[in-house]
Amino acid sequence: RASRAPPGQARIALRSGLILIAVADVVLHVVLPMTHDSEALSRDRWAAALRWPCQFGVAWFLCSRAHTNHVYVAAAAAICSFVTGICGYWMRVLKQPGDLAIVFVFFGTLTEMFCIELSVARVSVLRRTMHLGRHRALHAARIALLSWLVLSVPCWVEQSMLRSYSVVLALLVCAFVACSLHACREPLGAALWARAPDGKASCPVSVGAAEQALRAMRLLVVSLLCSHAGLEAIAVYWVIIMTAGGPLDWHHPSSHGLVAITTSCWCITSFALAALSGAAHVTPNPVVKLTEGQRFHRQQSLLRTTSVNGDPWQAKVEELAGRGFTLEALLDFWADLPRVMPHYCPSVHTTRDVVWQAIIPQSRVGDSDGCALATLMMGGRCTRPRKMVSHSWGNLFRDLVAAVVADALGDSEFGSVAALLERDEPSLRGLVAARGTLKDTYWICAFSISQHSAICDDSACGGEDPILRRPYPTCACRAPKARNGDPPVREDGQSIPCELNKFTDMIEFLAATDGGFEQVIAVDAHAQVFTRAWVIDEIAASHRLGMPQHLKVRSASVVDKHVERLRGMRVQDMRATRPDDVAEILGRIPDKDAFNAHLQRIVFDVGSGLIASWRALDAKQVLERVGRTLLVANLCMHQRRGKGEGEP
């Protein structure tokens, strides 16, 4: 993935190199006064006192937060900028700078090249997410500026050519900045429209998401301007100096203005790099290692799966574990849902509504049998899931699908994804395909359990359609049903053919045989998912096995609104459609108070809790979330304006 973090050794190398450079500069300040003119050293020390903490502080900050390639590039640029500032100071102080000028040229060029690449990368992520395509003028300006920087390096040390070089450089930098801002024109326009009264009235994007997008766009525009303003100002000043006074004399008093300008510009560039990289908004994923207890549980699960050959219970567990399906198949089902369920309304119908009126009818085989819909979705192939989705059937079905898609996109919020599902599913599918996660496999009980072997004929488990105002139709298939206590049973009284009492065993089997198996928790708007018996059981089992767990919420306000209620969460208050499920789960918990305390740690632990993991986003993912928000706003804006133009 493009946003994958560089190795930890690379971050250590960056910080180590920065420390060595800083120490060398300090040593020079101590040693050189013994052999050089102290007046020359102290004359511009004010510039070093201003530049040094700014450049070093920003470089250290970026090196410490280099968890993505964008921040990694910014950290490299900040270090090069720091070296350039040091060289500029010592070039002025020393009477014979010699090769120091070449070092100054080299690192100054590297700084600008890193800034160019970072600018293009950030703008490209935004435009690609919004399906705006490649900005050809920006890439042409990038190639021209990079070529001039590389091919014209000798001009920096040959002062007779400096004026011509500086004129061309100033023009190219202006052209690149102008193209960068033009590439941001449509995203910025969509962000402004989403916050305008017209946008608030017709755009499904939440106020918080719209404000976040507008702040991000303003910061991006300002940082694009400032990250190149330093080089632009220096180039223009050189033109003035060379035109007025001939060759530049670093030791002449007239160059004091150049010192002030270059010092200020390099400091501004450093701060702009930090803003452009998005490092200030990065929350790295918490590093969670398996505890001894979690390793023990995985080993025990693996032993159970390998020592029960021929056990019908284990055979059923492994059958369930092979009923995963791809995200592509889920999106196909979503696209076909209006045909299967013509009255389907995304903002009204829940997963329970869709199960009874679409999944059960679609998974019926002939007149007398049925199977899990996942089996039909995958053409009967055994498909191992990489992630299990825990959710509430009372949640909107649209939000369930959006949570899965958001997971595939690496986002922890699915508000903009839900809006795209309704308005432009092909564009959303394109985003997933571009990320390479369209074939990711998931396990969702509504699809992966055969409803025909459990509830399809039980009207007590059904309900009423919220739009048609009539009860769900029951299935007339004659498939045999198997519930918790139906024979044949194990010694503990659990039904062997039943598919509803093996979730924990299936999680243990998948976690023991696949070290990368993960859990996704789709949180509804009212956070009712944390009151569901099976969800709590799945969360506890996944944590016990050390599985990565990911919360997916519609917006941050859902967590903020319900966080206090979640702190009072108790296993005794769990609910389920069937009372037998609650009794079964509570029966497996001998010390309920200890379990409640453990549940609080799972959710709220600062280092590895579900909420801490939910807040973990890198710089690229934050910008992609903004891009998806602006994609929705842009679609709504054009639809609104199209309707307005069509009105008489």
Side-chain angles (χ1 to χ4, degrees), residues 89-134:
Y89 173 76
W90 289 111
M91 282 176 61
R92 178 168 174 78
V93 168
L94 299 176
K95 300 297 183 181
Q96 296 179 344
D99 294 337
L100 200 59
I102 298 177
V103 179
F104 175 82
V105 170
F106 177 75
F107 281 98
T109 303
L110 276 183
T111 301
E112 182 58 22
M113 291 173 70
F114 281 128
C115 288
I116 293 168
E117 291 303 304
L118 181 61
S119 300
V120 173
R122 298 292 282 174
V123 173
S124 297
V125 167
L126 192 63
R127 291 183 62 84
R128 184 167 57 249
T129 307
M130 292 185 65
H131 287 191
L132 295 177
R134 182 185 178 94

mmCIF file of all heavy atoms in Angstrom, residues 89-134:
data_model
loop_
_atom_site.group_PDB
_atom_site.id
_atom_site.type_symbol
_atom_site.label_atom_id
_atom_site.label_comp_id
_atom_site.label_asym_id
_atom_site.label_seq_id
_atom_site.Cartn_x
_atom_site.Cartn_y
_atom_site.Cartn_z
ATOM 1 N N TYR A 89 24.872 29.759 6.946
ATOM 2 C CA TYR A 89 25.462 30.557 8.033
ATOM 3 C C TYR A 89 26.986 30.504 7.986
ATOM 4 O O TYR A 89 27.669 31.534 8.049
ATOM 5 C CB TYR A 89 24.947 30.042 9.370
ATOM 6 C CG TYR A 89 25.624 30.679 10.566
ATOM 7 C CD1 TYR A 89 25.292 31.968 10.965
ATOM 8 C CD2 TYR A 89 26.601 29.990 11.275
ATOM 9 C CE1 TYR A 89 25.912 32.556 12.055
ATOM 10 C CE2 TYR A 89 27.227 30.568 12.366
ATOM 11 C CZ TYR A 89 26.887 31.850 12.756
ATOM 12 O OH TYR A 89 27.506 32.432 13.832
ATOM 13 N N TRP A 90 27.545 29.294 7.839
ATOM 14 C CA TRP A 90 29.003 29.169 7.859
ATOM 15 C C TRP A 90 29.641 29.690 6.579
ATOM 16 O O TRP A 90 30.795 30.130 6.598
ATOM 17 C CB TRP A 90 29.402 27.714 8.104
ATOM 18 C CG TRP A 90 29.104 27.279 9.507
ATOM 19 C CD1 TRP A 90 28.167 26.399 9.909
ATOM 20 C CD2 TRP A 90 29.741 27.762 10.685
ATOM 21 N NE1 TRP A 90 28.154 26.282 11.273
ATOM 22 C CE2 TRP A 90 29.126 27.114 11.787
ATOM 23 C CE3 TRP A 90 30.759 28.678 10.946
ATOM 24 C CZ2 TRP A 90 29.496 27.349 13.094
ATOM 25 C CZ3 TRP A 90 31.135 28.910 12.261
ATOM 26 C CH2 TRP A 90 30.509 28.249 13.317
ATOM 27 N N MET A 91 28.920 29.682 5.478
ATOM 28 C CA MET A 91 29.442 30.305 4.260
ATOM 29 C C MET A 91 29.640 31.800 4.455
ATOM 30 O O MET A 91 30.587 32.395 3.936
ATOM 31 C CB MET A 91 28.477 30.069 3.091
ATOM 32 C CG MET A 91 28.554 28.688 2.476
ATOM 33 S SD MET A 91 27.307 28.454 1.203
ATOM 34 C CE MET A 91 27.776 29.716 0.032
ATOM 35 N N ARG A 92 28.754 32.420 5.202
ATOM 36 C CA ARG A 92 28.871 33.857 5.439
ATOM 37 C C ARG A 92 29.980 34.155 6.436
ATOM 38 O O ARG A 92 30.694 35.155 6.305
ATOM 39 C CB ARG A 92 27.537 34.402 5.949
ATOM 40 C CG ARG A 92 27.593 35.884 6.271
ATOM 41 C CD ARG A 92 26.224 36.474 6.487
ATOM 42 N NE ARG A 92 26.327 37.854 6.918
ATOM 43 C CZ ARG A 92 26.578 38.880 6.116
ATOM 44 N NH1 ARG A 92 26.745 38.653 4.825
ATOM 45 N NH2 ARG A 92 26.651 40.113 6.580
ATOM 46 N N VAL A 93 30.138 33.292 7.428
ATOM 47 C CA VAL A 93 31.112 33.554 8.488
ATOM 48 C C VAL A 93 32.541 33.316 8.013
ATOM 49 O O VAL A 93 33.445 34.115 8.265
ATOM 50 C CB VAL A 93 30.793 32.676 9.714
ATOM 51 C CG1 VAL A 93 31.938 32.705 10.711
ATOM 52 C CG2 VAL A 93 29.510 33.154 10.370
ATOM 53 N N LEU A 94 32.759 32.194 7.293
ATOM 54 C CA LEU A 94 34.112 31.832 6.881
ATOM 55 C C LEU A 94 34.568 32.691 5.710
ATOM 56 O O LEU A 94 33.801 32.996 4.801
ATOM 57 C CB LEU A 94 34.164 30.353 6.492
ATOM 58 C CG LEU A 94 33.809 29.361 7.611
ATOM 59 C CD1 LEU A 94 33.813 27.950 7.068
ATOM 60 C CD2 LEU A 94 34.777 29.491 8.778
ATOM 61 N N LYS A 95 35.816 33.088 5.725
ATOM 62 C CA LYS A 95 36.359 33.912 4.649
ATOM 63 C C LYS A 95 36.541 33.110 3.367
ATOM 64 O O LYS A 95 36.444 33.644 2.269
ATOM 65 C CB LYS A 95 37.713 34.496 5.089
ATOM 66 C CG LYS A 95 37.630 35.379 6.330
ATOM 67 C CD LYS A 95 36.773 36.597 6.087
ATOM 68 C CE LYS A 95 36.753 37.511 7.304
ATOM 69 N NZ LYS A 95 35.886 38.696 7.084
ATOM 70 N N GLN A 96 36.804 31.803 3.495
ATOM 71 C CA GLN A 96 37.012 30.939 2.339
ATOM 72 C C GLN A 96 36.115 29.710 2.486
ATOM 73 O O GLN A 96 36.544 28.666 2.987
ATOM 74 C CB GLN A 96 38.480 30.525 2.246
ATOM 75 C CG GLN A 96 39.418 31.703 1.993
ATOM 76 C CD GLN A 96 40.866 31.269 1.937
ATOM 77 O OE1 GLN A 96 41.216 30.182 2.371
ATOM 78 N NE2 GLN A 96 41.713 32.132 1.392
ATOM 79 N N PRO A 97 34.865 29.834 2.083
ATOM 80 C CA PRO A 97 33.934 28.722 2.289
ATOM 81 C C PRO A 97 34.289 27.470 1.512
ATOM 82 O O PRO A 97 33.974 26.368 1.922
ATOM 83 C CB PRO A 97 32.596 29.301 1.826
ATOM 84 C CG PRO A 97 32.952 30.438 0.936
ATOM 85 C CD PRO A 97 34.234 30.992 1.444
ATOM 86 N N GLY A 98 34.959 27.609 0.364
ATOM 87 C CA GLY A 98 35.405 26.445 -0.392
ATOM 88 C C GLY A 98 34.269 25.523 -0.790
ATOM 89 O O GLY A 98 33.275 25.944 -1.384
ATOM 90 N N ASP A 99 34.438 24.233 -0.441
ATOM 91 C CA ASP A 99 33.455 23.222 -0.838
ATOM 92 C C ASP A 99 32.131 23.361 -0.096
ATOM 93 O O ASP A 99 31.172 22.664 -0.422
ATOM 94 C CB ASP A 99 34.016 21.823 -0.590
ATOM 95 C CG ASP A 99 35.208 21.522 -1.487
ATOM 96 O OD1 ASP A 99 35.312 22.173 -2.542
ATOM 97 O OD2 ASP A 99 36.015 20.653 -1.123
ATOM 98 N N LEU A 100 32.083 24.241 0.904
ATOM 99 C CA LEU A 100 30.842 24.418 1.650
ATOM 100 C C LEU A 100 29.724 24.924 0.745
ATOM 101 O O LEU A 100 28.552 24.605 0.949
ATOM 102 C CB LEU A 100 31.070 25.390 2.808
ATOM 103 C CG LEU A 100 30.061 25.343 3.964
ATOM 104 C CD1 LEU A 100 30.029 23.958 4.587
ATOM 105 C CD2 LEU A 100 30.417 26.388 5.018
ATOM 106 N N ALA A 101 30.096 25.708 -0.267
ATOM 107 C CA ALA A 101 29.092 26.210 -1.205
ATOM 108 C C ALA A 101 28.451 25.066 -1.983
ATOM 109 O O ALA A 101 27.245 25.083 -2.268
ATOM 110 C CB ALA A 101 29.721 27.210 -2.168
ATOM 111 N N ILE A 102 29.245 24.061 -2.320
ATOM 112 C CA ILE A 102 28.701 22.914 -3.051
ATOM 113 C C ILE A 102 27.728 22.142 -2.168
ATOM 114 O O ILE A 102 26.664 21.696 -2.621
ATOM 115 C CB ILE A 102 29.852 22.004 -3.528
ATOM 116 C CG1 ILE A 102 30.764 22.778 -4.483
ATOM 117 C CG2 ILE A 102 29.300 20.752 -4.195
ATOM 118 C CD1 ILE A 102 31.966 21.996 -4.945
ATOM 119 N N VAL A 103 28.077 21.991 -0.884
ATOM 120 C CA VAL A 103 27.170 21.320 0.052
ATOM 121 C C VAL A 103 25.876 22.113 0.189
ATOM 122 O O VAL A 103 24.772 21.551 0.219
ATOM 123 C CB VAL A 103 27.850 21.145 1.429
ATOM 124 C CG1 VAL A 103 26.902 20.480 2.413
ATOM 125 C CG2 VAL A 103 29.122 20.332 1.289
ATOM 126 N N PHE A 104 26.012 23.445 0.261
ATOM 127 C CA PHE A 104 24.838 24.313 0.348
ATOM 128 C C PHE A 104 23.932 24.118 -0.867
ATOM 129 O O PHE A 104 22.707 23.987 -0.744
ATOM 130 C CB PHE A 104 25.304 25.767 0.448
ATOM 131 C CG PHE A 104 24.193 26.773 0.427
ATOM 132 C CD1 PHE A 104 23.481 27.072 1.576
ATOM 133 C CD2 PHE A 104 23.852 27.426 -0.748
ATOM 134 C CE1 PHE A 104 22.455 27.999 1.563
ATOM 135 C CE2 PHE A 104 22.828 28.357 -0.779
ATOM 136 C CZ PHE A 104 22.123 28.643 0.380
ATOM 137 N N VAL A 105 24.546 24.092 -2.043
ATOM 138 C CA VAL A 105 23.778 23.903 -3.279
ATOM 139 C C VAL A 105 23.087 22.539 -3.282
ATOM 140 O O VAL A 105 21.899 22.417 -3.606
ATOM 141 C CB VAL A 105 24.711 24.031 -4.502
ATOM 142 C CG1 VAL A 105 23.983 23.607 -5.772
ATOM 143 C CG2 VAL A 105 25.210 25.447 -4.639
ATOM 144 N N PHE A 106 23.828 21.518 -2.906
ATOM 145 C CA PHE A 106 23.303 20.152 -2.967
ATOM 146 C C PHE A 106 22.089 19.985 -2.057
ATOM 147 O O PHE A 106 21.025 19.513 -2.490
ATOM 148 C CB PHE A 106 24.411 19.172 -2.581
ATOM 149 C CG PHE A 106 23.963 17.742 -2.542
ATOM 150 C CD1 PHE A 106 23.741 17.031 -3.712
ATOM 151 C CD2 PHE A 106 23.746 17.105 -1.329
ATOM 152 C CE1 PHE A 106 23.318 15.715 -3.682
ATOM 153 C CE2 PHE A 106 23.325 15.788 -1.284
ATOM 154 C CZ PHE A 106 23.107 15.093 -2.466
ATOM 155 N N PHE A 107 22.220 20.381 -0.796
ATOM 156 C CA PHE A 107 21.115 20.175 0.142
ATOM 157 C C PHE A 107 19.970 21.151 -0.104
ATOM 158 O O PHE A 107 18.803 20.818 0.146
ATOM 159 C CB PHE A 107 21.620 20.284 1.583
ATOM 160 C CG PHE A 107 22.319 19.045 2.060
ATOM 161 C CD1 PHE A 107 23.702 18.965 2.047
ATOM 162 C CD2 PHE A 107 21.597 17.952 2.490
ATOM 163 C CE1 PHE A 107 24.352 17.817 2.475
ATOM 164 C CE2 PHE A 107 22.236 16.797 2.915
ATOM 165 C CZ PHE A 107 23.619 16.728 2.903
ATOM 166 N N GLY A 108 20.276 22.352 -0.597
ATOM 167 C CA GLY A 108 19.200 23.266 -0.965
ATOM 168 C C GLY A 108 18.361 22.717 -2.107
ATOM 169 O O GLY A 108 17.129 22.812 -2.109
ATOM 170 N N THR A 109 19.044 22.116 -3.082
ATOM 171 C CA THR A 109 18.333 21.495 -4.201
ATOM 172 C C THR A 109 17.502 20.308 -3.734
ATOM 173 O O THR A 109 16.342 20.140 -4.136
ATOM 174 C CB THR A 109 19.344 21.034 -5.269
ATOM 175 O OG1 THR A 109 20.123 22.151 -5.696
ATOM 176 C CG2 THR A 109 18.622 20.437 -6.462
ATOM 177 N N LEU A 110 18.080 19.476 -2.853
ATOM 178 C CA LEU A 110 17.339 18.331 -2.325
ATOM 179 C C LEU A 110 16.088 18.777 -1.571
ATOM 180 O O LEU A 110 15.020 18.167 -1.694
ATOM 181 C CB LEU A 110 18.232 17.509 -1.396
ATOM 182 C CG LEU A 110 19.155 16.477 -2.031
ATOM 183 C CD1 LEU A 110 19.910 15.720 -0.948
ATOM 184 C CD2 LEU A 110 18.380 15.498 -2.899
ATOM 185 N N THR A 111 16.222 19.847 -0.788
ATOM 186 C CA THR A 111 15.072 20.344 -0.029
ATOM 187 C C THR A 111 13.916 20.692 -0.952
ATOM 188 O O THR A 111 12.768 20.285 -0.734
ATOM 189 C CB THR A 111 15.471 21.585 0.792
ATOM 190 O OG1 THR A 111 16.520 21.239 1.687
ATOM 191 C CG2 THR A 111 14.287 22.111 1.585
ATOM 192 N N GLU A 112 14.224 21.448 -1.999
ATOM 193 C CA GLU A 112 13.159 21.858 -2.914
ATOM 194 C C GLU A 112 12.591 20.666 -3.674
ATOM 195 O O GLU A 112 11.382 20.583 -3.919
ATOM 196 C CB GLU A 112 13.690 22.908 -3.889
ATOM 197 C CG GLU A 112 12.647 23.444 -4.857
ATOM 198 C CD GLU A 112 11.449 24.079 -4.158
ATOM 199 O OE1 GLU A 112 11.584 24.491 -2.990
ATOM 200 O OE2 GLU A 112 10.375 24.153 -4.783
ATOM 201 N N MET A 113 13.431 19.706 -4.024
ATOM 202 C CA MET A 113 12.937 18.522 -4.735
ATOM 203 C C MET A 113 11.988 17.716 -3.854
ATOM 204 O O MET A 113 10.944 17.243 -4.312
ATOM 205 C CB MET A 113 14.119 17.663 -5.192
ATOM 206 C CG MET A 113 14.955 18.309 -6.291
ATOM 207 S SD MET A 113 16.454 17.387 -6.693
ATOM 208 C CE MET A 113 15.754 15.953 -7.489
ATOM 209 N N PHE A 114 12.346 17.569 -2.575
ATOM 210 C CA PHE A 114 11.439 16.875 -1.658
ATOM 211 C C PHE A 114 10.125 17.640 -1.507
ATOM 212 O O PHE A 114 9.047 17.036 -1.441
ATOM 213 C CB PHE A 114 12.107 16.698 -0.289
ATOM 214 C CG PHE A 114 13.083 15.560 -0.222
ATOM 215 C CD1 PHE A 114 14.370 15.754 0.254
ATOM 216 C CD2 PHE A 114 12.717 14.288 -0.634
ATOM 217 C CE1 PHE A 114 15.275 14.701 0.323
ATOM 218 C CE2 PHE A 114 13.609 13.228 -0.571
ATOM 219 C CZ PHE A 114 14.894 13.440 -0.095
ATOM 220 N N CYS A 115 10.214 18.975 -1.435
ATOM 221 C CA CYS A 115 8.997 19.789 -1.312
ATOM 222 C C CYS A 115 8.100 19.614 -2.533
ATOM 223 O O CYS A 115 6.870 19.527 -2.413
ATOM 224 C CB CYS A 115 9.361 21.265 -1.145
ATOM 225 S SG CYS A 115 10.053 21.699 0.457
ATOM 226 N N ILE A 116 8.713 19.572 -3.701
ATOM 227 C CA ILE A 116 7.935 19.396 -4.936
ATOM 228 C C ILE A 116 7.225 18.049 -4.926
ATOM 229 O O ILE A 116 6.019 17.956 -5.208
ATOM 230 C CB ILE A 116 8.867 19.510 -6.160
ATOM 231 C CG1 ILE A 116 9.397 20.941 -6.294
ATOM 232 C CG2 ILE A 116 8.134 19.092 -7.438
ATOM 233 C CD1 ILE A 116 10.530 21.071 -7.291
ATOM 234 N N GLU A 117 7.962 16.991 -4.602
ATOM 235 C CA GLU A 117 7.365 15.656 -4.610
ATOM 236 C C GLU A 117 6.260 15.535 -3.564
ATOM 237 O O GLU A 117 5.225 14.906 -3.807
ATOM 238 C CB GLU A 117 8.450 14.605 -4.360
ATOM 239 C CG GLU A 117 9.440 14.456 -5.501
ATOM 240 C CD GLU A 117 8.747 14.126 -6.806
ATOM 241 O OE1 GLU A 117 8.016 13.121 -6.870
ATOM 242 O OE2 GLU A 117 8.920 14.899 -7.770
ATOM 243 N N LEU A 118 6.469 16.134 -2.393
ATOM 244 C CA LEU A 118 5.445 16.079 -1.350
ATOM 245 C C LEU A 118 4.196 16.842 -1.777
ATOM 246 O O LEU A 118 3.065 16.376 -1.560
ATOM 247 C CB LEU A 118 6.002 16.658 -0.046
ATOM 248 C CG LEU A 118 5.048 16.649 1.155
ATOM 249 C CD1 LEU A 118 4.644 15.221 1.516
ATOM 250 C CD2 LEU A 118 5.699 17.332 2.358
ATOM 251 N N SER A 119 4.380 18.000 -2.399
ATOM 252 C CA SER A 119 3.233 18.788 -2.863
ATOM 253 C C SER A 119 2.413 18.009 -3.878
ATOM 254 O O SER A 119 1.177 17.935 -3.793
ATOM 255 C CB SER A 119 3.717 20.104 -3.477
ATOM 256 O OG SER A 119 4.435 20.875 -2.546
ATOM 257 N N VAL A 120 3.093 17.410 -4.844
ATOM 258 C CA VAL A 120 2.390 16.649 -5.879
ATOM 259 C C VAL A 120 1.695 15.433 -5.272
ATOM 260 O O VAL A 120 0.555 15.104 -5.633
ATOM 261 C CB VAL A 120 3.376 16.220 -6.985
ATOM 262 C CG1 VAL A 120 2.701 15.283 -7.981
ATOM 263 C CG2 VAL A 120 3.921 17.443 -7.709
ATOM 264 N N ALA A 121 2.361 14.766 -4.332
ATOM 265 C CA ALA A 121 1.772 13.575 -3.713
ATOM 266 C C ALA A 121 0.497 13.921 -2.953
ATOM 267 O O ALA A 121 -0.518 13.222 -3.072
ATOM 268 C CB ALA A 121 2.786 12.921 -2.777
ATOM 269 N N ARG A 122 0.525 15.005 -2.180
ATOM 270 C CA ARG A 122 -0.656 15.374 -1.392
ATOM 271 C C ARG A 122 -1.816 15.790 -2.294
ATOM 272 O O ARG A 122 -2.959 15.377 -2.079
ATOM 273 C CB ARG A 122 -0.305 16.517 -0.435
ATOM 274 C CG ARG A 122 0.761 16.187 0.582
ATOM 275 C CD ARG A 122 0.305 15.168 1.585
ATOM 276 N NE ARG A 122 -0.550 15.745 2.605
ATOM 277 C CZ ARG A 122 -1.175 15.042 3.539
ATOM 278 N NH1 ARG A 122 -1.056 13.730 3.559
ATOM 279 N NH2 ARG A 122 -1.934 15.628 4.439
ATOM 280 N N VAL A 123 -1.529 16.598 -3.295
ATOM 281 C CA VAL A 123 -2.589 17.036 -4.206
ATOM 282 C C VAL A 123 -3.134 15.850 -5.003
ATOM 283 O O VAL A 123 -4.346 15.733 -5.223
ATOM 284 C CB VAL A 123 -2.063 18.140 -5.143
ATOM 285 C CG1 VAL A 123 -3.102 18.480 -6.207
ATOM 286 C CG2 VAL A 123 -1.708 19.395 -4.349
ATOM 287 N N SER A 124 -2.254 14.946 -5.416
ATOM 288 C CA SER A 124 -2.684 13.799 -6.220
ATOM 289 C C SER A 124 -3.588 12.866 -5.422
ATOM 290 O O SER A 124 -4.552 12.317 -5.968
ATOM 291 C CB SER A 124 -1.460 13.034 -6.738
ATOM 292 O OG SER A 124 -0.690 13.841 -7.603
ATOM 293 N N VAL A 125 -3.282 12.655 -4.133
ATOM 294 C CA VAL A 125 -4.145 11.813 -3.295
ATOM 295 C C VAL A 125 -5.551 12.392 -3.248
ATOM 296 O O VAL A 125 -6.553 11.675 -3.391
ATOM 297 C CB VAL A 125 -3.559 11.690 -1.874
ATOM 298 C CG1 VAL A 125 -4.589 11.107 -0.916
ATOM 299 C CG2 VAL A 125 -2.320 10.811 -1.889
ATOM 300 N N LEU A 126 -5.636 13.691 -3.065
ATOM 301 C CA LEU A 126 -6.935 14.353 -2.975
ATOM 302 C C LEU A 126 -7.702 14.244 -4.290
ATOM 303 O O LEU A 126 -8.884 13.884 -4.317
ATOM 304 C CB LEU A 126 -6.728 15.818 -2.595
ATOM 305 C CG LEU A 126 -7.956 16.610 -2.173
ATOM 306 C CD1 LEU A 126 -8.564 16.025 -0.913
ATOM 307 C CD2 LEU A 126 -7.588 18.065 -1.958
ATOM 308 N N ARG A 127 -7.039 14.523 -5.388
ATOM 309 C CA ARG A 127 -7.715 14.488 -6.690
ATOM 310 C C ARG A 127 -8.080 13.059 -7.085
ATOM 311 O O ARG A 127 -9.142 12.818 -7.659
ATOM 312 C CB ARG A 127 -6.816 15.120 -7.759
ATOM 313 C CG ARG A 127 -6.638 16.624 -7.600
ATOM 314 C CD ARG A 127 -5.807 17.198 -8.738
ATOM 315 N NE ARG A 127 -6.452 16.995 -10.024
ATOM 316 C CZ ARG A 127 -7.386 17.789 -10.546
ATOM 317 N NH1 ARG A 127 -7.784 18.859 -9.874
ATOM 318 N NH2 ARG A 127 -7.905 17.530 -11.726
ATOM 319 N N ARG A 128 -7.214 12.107 -6.777
ATOM 320 C CA ARG A 128 -7.517 10.717 -7.118
ATOM 321 C C ARG A 128 -8.730 10.216 -6.336
ATOM 322 O O ARG A 128 -9.584 9.514 -6.884
ATOM 323 C CB ARG A 128 -6.295 9.848 -6.831
ATOM 324 C CG ARG A 128 -6.458 8.390 -7.245
ATOM 325 C CD ARG A 128 -5.135 7.658 -7.233
ATOM 326 N NE ARG A 128 -4.480 7.719 -5.941
ATOM 327 C CZ ARG A 128 -3.363 8.393 -5.697
ATOM 328 N NH1 ARG A 128 -2.785 9.089 -6.660
ATOM 329 N NH2 ARG A 128 -2.817 8.402 -4.494
ATOM 330 N N THR A 129 -8.819 10.582 -5.065
ATOM 331 C CA THR A 129 -9.960 10.167 -4.259
ATOM 332 C C THR A 129 -11.250 10.799 -4.765
ATOM 333 O O THR A 129 -12.316 10.188 -4.695
ATOM 334 C CB THR A 129 -9.735 10.550 -2.785
ATOM 335 O OG1 THR A 129 -8.472 10.039 -2.356
ATOM 336 C CG2 THR A 129 -10.819 9.974 -1.902
ATOM 337 N N MET A 130 -11.152 12.023 -5.293
ATOM 338 C CA MET A 130 -12.334 12.709 -5.820
ATOM 339 C C MET A 130 -12.617 12.362 -7.278
ATOM 340 O O MET A 130 -13.536 12.923 -7.880
ATOM 341 C CB MET A 130 -12.155 14.221 -5.681
ATOM 342 C CG MET A 130 -12.162 14.729 -4.257
ATOM 343 S SD MET A 130 -12.089 16.532 -4.180
ATOM 344 C CE MET A 130 -13.672 16.960 -4.943
ATOM 345 N N HIS A 131 -11.821 11.465 -7.863
ATOM 346 C CA HIS A 131 -11.991 11.053 -9.264
ATOM 347 C C HIS A 131 -11.877 12.247 -10.214
ATOM 348 O O HIS A 131 -12.611 12.338 -11.206
ATOM 349 C CB HIS A 131 -13.343 10.357 -9.467
ATOM 350 C CG HIS A 131 -13.384 8.979 -8.888
ATOM 351 N ND1 HIS A 131 -14.399 8.087 -9.130
ATOM 352 C CD2 HIS A 131 -12.539 8.325 -8.061
ATOM 353 C CE1 HIS A 131 -14.178 6.960 -8.484
ATOM 354 N NE2 HIS A 131 -13.056 7.086 -7.829
ATOM 355 N N LEU A 132 -10.948 13.149 -9.915
ATOM 356 C CA LEU A 132 -10.752 14.324 -10.765
ATOM 357 C C LEU A 132 -9.685 14.100 -11.823
ATOM 358 O O LEU A 132 -9.494 14.938 -12.699
ATOM 359 C CB LEU A 132 -10.374 15.540 -9.904
ATOM 360 C CG LEU A 132 -11.454 16.010 -8.929
ATOM 361 C CD1 LEU A 132 -10.936 17.166 -8.091
ATOM 362 C CD2 LEU A 132 -12.714 16.415 -9.675
ATOM 363 N N GLY A 133 -8.974 13.005 -11.723
ATOM 364 C CA GLY A 133 -7.978 12.695 -12.741
ATOM 365 C C GLY A 133 -6.658 13.417 -12.506
ATOM 366 O O GLY A 133 -6.488 14.226 -11.591
ATOM 367 N N ARG A 134 -5.726 13.139 -13.359
ATOM 368 C CA ARG A 134 -4.371 13.686 -13.268
ATOM 369 C C ARG A 134 -4.361 15.135 -13.752
ATOM 370 O O ARG A 134 -4.899 15.448 -14.816
ATOM 371 C CB ARG A 134 -3.441 12.830 -14.127
ATOM 372 C CG ARG A 134 -1.979 13.226 -14.111
ATOM 373 C CD ARG A 134 -1.246 12.333 -15.107
ATOM 374 N NE ARG A 134 0.166 12.661 -15.211
ATOM 375 C CZ ARG A 134 1.122 12.074 -14.516
ATOM 376 N NH1 ARG A 134 0.803 11.113 -13.676
ATOM 377 N NH2 ARG A 134 2.387 12.410 -14.668
#
